[in-house]
Amino acid sequence: MFHNETIEEAYASRAAFGAPVWQLGAWVSTYTAIASNAMSKVSNHVEIITGTPPISLEEYLRTAG
């Protein structure tokens, strides 16, 4: 779940897990990408790569058994 926080708060909240500095940077960069909506665009790359349109998790679970 996304929680809007400052960059300083993001580092502090993740530092509590005792992760190495490189991992904190990776977590915070993911947070900043989500916060900026950089990850909000939907692409058609699943279909381009696999040749099959994507399906929802619900549909997959319903048909995978």
Side-chain angles (χ1 to χ4, degrees), residues 34-65:
I34 294 168
S36 71
N37 284 325
M39 299 172 63
S40 64
K41 182 182 177 205
V42 176
S43 77
N44 60 344
H45 288 98
V46 168
E47 188 167 0
I48 289 171
I49 293 168
T50 66
T52 305
I55 60 174
S56 69
L57 177 60
E58 178 184 3
E59 185 178 349
Y60 172 78
L61 294 173
R62 193 175 339 107
T63 60

Side-chain angles (χ1 to χ4, degrees), residues 11-36:
Y11 273 101
S13 67
R14 287 148 183 84
F17 290 99
V21 173
W22 69 265
Q23 191 171 24
L24 292 176
W27 280 350
V28 173
S29 69
T30 302
Y31 161 78
T32 57
I34 294 168
S36 71

